[in-house]
Amino acid sequence: DDMYRRLEPISLELESRGLKHLSSEDAGLRSLAGSEQIGALRVFASAFEPVSFGERSSTQHTNQLTPLTGFVDAVRPDPSIRYEVEHAAVIVAQSPRSHSPEVDDARALLERFFSSTGASVPEVEARMDSSPRLAEMRGRAGQLSQLATIGNQAIKYLQQGNAPADWKRASLDTIATAKKPGALVRFHFLDPLTTLVSATQ
């Protein structure tokens, strides 16, 4: 926990000294969208991170001539929201029906994340029609919509104390499918989502 607390100010300091690891994400997304209006695309991208270097190399056979212009090149490895979602999921899964300030804050963070990323999908899919480089994410977009719905359902069922029959099994199957490689990116929140779904009764 303390490492991530310290990383944020250090990351900002590094950028002030000339690194572009933060601003390059928006630049890459603007290039993909062909527009400065990337609000929905930025939210959409917050659900992903690149696959490992080894996985990318074996899949894409990268070399010094590989263009770094795809969606995978725009998203950030280990984004801060990954830790925040993971931390919040543990808190909610441990005390799903509590209304302590800590649990309420964690629940609100998860609801914002799942609702906003799910809501971003239609606008991003519309942009794919005019952006071939973004279109490779069409399959991932459909999966994100499903996963976001599962996330919100899990939070609701945890509060209620019960979930519909077979919902947990079907949701875990959807998560397992989403773990398979696709477009050189992965959903960074699948483990905390599994934690939430598994905690439902």
Side-chain angles (χ1 to χ4, degrees):
D1 292 350
D2 190 57
M3 181 193 75
Y4 279 95
R5 179 190 64 79
R6 289 180 285 118
L7 271 177
E8 184 173 3
I10 291 296
S11 184
L12 294 174
E13 180 182 352
L14 289 172
E15 178 139 285
S16 73
R17 294 174 180 268
L19 273 70
K20 301 297 183 183
H21 60 295
L22 299 180
S23 59
S24 64
E25 180 176 16
D26 274 7
L29 295 177
R30 285 193 294 270
S31 175
L32 285 167
S35 169
E36 293 184 17
Q37 309 305 315
I38 59 168
L41 183 55
R42 186 186 292 119
V43 174
F44 178 83
S46 72
F48 299 92
E49 66 177 353
V51 297
S52 68
F53 288 119
E55 186 176 343
R56 179 171 182 175
S57 177
S58 62
T59 302
Q60 194 181 35
H61 306 294
T62 50
N63 58 40
Q64 67 271 28
L65 299 179
T66 302
L68 304 179
T69 57
F71 184 84
V72 60
D73 304 299
V75 294
R76 201 181 306 176
D78 194 14
S80 58
I81 190 63
R82 172 184 177 174
Y83 162 73
E84 294 168 13
V85 169
E86 182 176 344
H87 186 64
V90 171
I91 292 172
V92 170
Q94 288 176 343
S95 304
R97 305 184 77 174
S98 170
H99 284 285
S100 70
E102 181 184 33
V103 176
D104 280 346
D105 287 347
R107 188 181 294 114
L109 184 149
L110 292 170
E111 289 173 342
R112 284 195 304 271
F113 176 76
F114 291 126
S115 296
S116 62
T117 53
S120 72
V121 171
E123 183 174 335
V124 173
E125 286 182 323
R127 286 198 179 275
M128 291 177 183
D129 295 335
S130 58
S131 174
R133 286 184 291 141
L134 189 57
E136 68 176 358
M137 288 295 294
R138 195 174 295 278
R140 286 306 213 184
Q143 289 179 319
L144 177 57
S145 185
Q146 292 178 312
L147 295 169
T149 298
I150 290 172
N152 279 321
Q153 289 173 335
I155 295 168
K156 181 178 73 173
Y157 297 150
L158 283 168
Q159 283 188 287
Q160 293 176 349
N162 58 72
D166 295 330
W167 175 84
K168 181 187 288 191
R169 179 192 55 77
S171 296
L172 291 175
D173 286 347
T174 299
I175 294 170
T177 299
K179 288 182 178 180
K180 296 176 182 177
L184 298 177
V185 293
R186 59 190 173 201
F187 298 100
H188 62 68
F189 61 89
L190 294 184
D191 285 345
L193 181 58
T194 300
T195 296
L196 293 172
V197 172
S198 298
T200 61
Q201 302 297 321

